[in-house]
């Protein structure tokens, strides 16, 4: 982890720009490491470099009035509490917890809400180990950022995996546990083992897949190669395979450059040698990867290493969304152009998909119905399992960037899921 001003390339910038970057870094999380600085960012292309855009605060990420407020406070070295209050107000204005995560997805055990878990889709439970709620470096568009900037009341954190096992015993329909964060691979292997071993020991008949959501392949591939407990980690993956389960490493992969280093290639090779599967997913982000060529290269790089392209997400409606957003129409065009450039092995990524309140909704295409342009949409995941696979139409809107900006086609008053969702939220 590095302080922004101690990074030589940043220290060399004009004072006013430096002040602005520091101001943004007070509001949005900033963290970077030597690997990202030295191996991923191409400093000759800064500020346009995609990895720089992915990890470094940019002045335009904040509303200009908000940016002014924080830079002014920093300039006059305002009292800490004054600065803190301004920063908190701006943070809360950035929709820190989208898609009903706080109220709708928290599971209960014996009538009590279980912290540190989410259960939204029938087959898959999300588990947030307390020590995994940070990352090797931070993405500026991250929707988990309240956990990093200390908006504590919004944080999910589990202390024990006993509750997880107990919950799974009572929910035999769950086939997948997705261990997530932050990045659970920030944890030492010994700590991760305390989450995974009880899942293996419990011999739950329904549980077949343990997934780990991580950005470590991209931000710290040494986690799988030369870190002191890298070998232990691989042994743990082996044990999952030996128990007849799949260990799926859900790798957050934004740009082909992340696979171009020898460290990343060895990391993928070592993970695969345990029988684990690497599946890759990332959001489509303006200035980082809003280019069909980049996605085609990204998928090719993954498949070449034996990793499987899994999802292309639409950026969520949180944080500096305006800075990064790509309208759905453009996201669809990028996805289609990229798919047409690659072989079938690379076409396993589904997208562009929105993780919205009712479920994961993919934009499949644009159709003409009754002389009118429509988006054809499909539910890939549904809060109600009966919704999975349902297709529906929305009026074409070139600027819409999220589900809630779309209107049903054909004069329908609302989408099929809106009423049941309202009933659910009222409960
Ligand atoms: C995406 C997601 C999952 C996993 O969905 P898959 O389509 O099975 O990968 C599980 N829970 C939540 C809340 C999700 O957003
Ligand atoms: S790696 Fe994932 S959780 Fe961590 S900062 Fe990036 S998007 Fe957020």
């Amino acid at each position: 982890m590095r302080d922004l001003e101690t990074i030589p390339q940043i220290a060399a910038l004009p004072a006013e720009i430096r002040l602005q970057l520091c101001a943004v870094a007070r509001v949005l999380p900033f963290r970077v490491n030597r690997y990202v600085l030295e191996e991923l960012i191409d400093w000759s292309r800064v500020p346009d470099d995609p990895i720089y855009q992915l990890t470094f605060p940019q002045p335009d990420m904040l509303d200009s009035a908000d940016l002014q407020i924080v830079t002014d406070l920093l300039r006059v070295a305002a009292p800490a509490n004054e600065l803190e209050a301004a920063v908190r107000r701006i943070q809360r204005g950035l929709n820190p917890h989208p898609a009903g995560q706080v109220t709708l997805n928290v599971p209960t055990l014996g009538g009590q809400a279980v912290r540190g878990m989410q259960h939204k889709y029938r087959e898959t439970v999300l588990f947030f180990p307390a020590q995994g709620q940070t990352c090797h470096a931070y993405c500026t568009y991250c929707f988990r950022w309240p956990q990093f900037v200390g908006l504590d009341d919004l944080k999910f954190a589990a202390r024990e995996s006993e509750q997880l096992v107990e919950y799974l015993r009572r929910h035999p329909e769950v086939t997948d546990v997705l261990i997530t964060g932050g990045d659970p691979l920030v944890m030492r292997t010994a700590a991760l083992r305390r989450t995974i071993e009880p899942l293996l020991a419990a011999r739950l008949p329904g549980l077949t897949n343990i997934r780990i959501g991580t950005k470590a392949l991209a931000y710290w591939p040494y986690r799988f190669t030369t870190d002191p407990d890298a070998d232990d980690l691989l042994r743990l993956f082996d044990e999952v395979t030996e128990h007849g389960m799949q260990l799926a490493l859900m790798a957050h992969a934004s740009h082909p450059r992340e696979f171009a280093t020898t460290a990343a290639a060895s990391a993928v090779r070592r993970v695969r040698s345990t029988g684990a599967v690497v599946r890759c997913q990332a959001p489509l982000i303006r200035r980082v990867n809003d280019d069909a060529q980049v996605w085609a290269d990204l998928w090719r790089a993954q498949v070449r290493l034996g990793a499987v392209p899994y999802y292309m997400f639409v950026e969520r409606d949180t944080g500096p969304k305006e800075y990064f957003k790509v309208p759905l129409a453009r996201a669809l065009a990028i996805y289609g152009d990229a798919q047409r450039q690659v072989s079938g092995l690379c076409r396993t990524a589904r997208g562009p998909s929105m993780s919205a309140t009712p479920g994961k909704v993919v934009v499949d295409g644009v159709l003409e119905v009754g002389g009118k342009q429509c988006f054809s949409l499909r539910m890939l995941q549904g809060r109600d399992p009966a919704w999975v696979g349902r297709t529906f139409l929305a009026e074409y809107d070139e600027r819409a960037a999220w589900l809630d900006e779309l209107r049903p086609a054909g004069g329908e008053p609302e989408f099929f899921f809106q009423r049941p969702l309202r009933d659910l939220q009222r409960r």
Side-chain angles (χ1 to χ4, degrees), residues 1-2 32-40 55 135-138 183 185-188 214-230 233 249 252 258 261-268 271:
M1 175 150 158
R2 297 282 294 270
V32 75
N33 61 29
R34 143 175 88 75
Y35 176 77
V36 174
L37 287 175
E38 292 169 11
E39 306 243 6
L40 295 188
T55 52
C135 293
H136 291 97
Y138 292 160
D183 189 336
L185 293 185
V186 161
M187 293 158 73
R188 297 294 83 204
T214 185
K215 184 80 182 167
L217 269 182
Y219 282 165
W220 193 250
Y222 311 117
R223 185 69 191 87
F224 308 95
T225 57
T226 54
D227 269 5
D229 60 348
L233 181 66
L249 197 74
H252 171 185
E258 296 169 349
T261 66
T262 43
S266 334
V268 176
V271 170

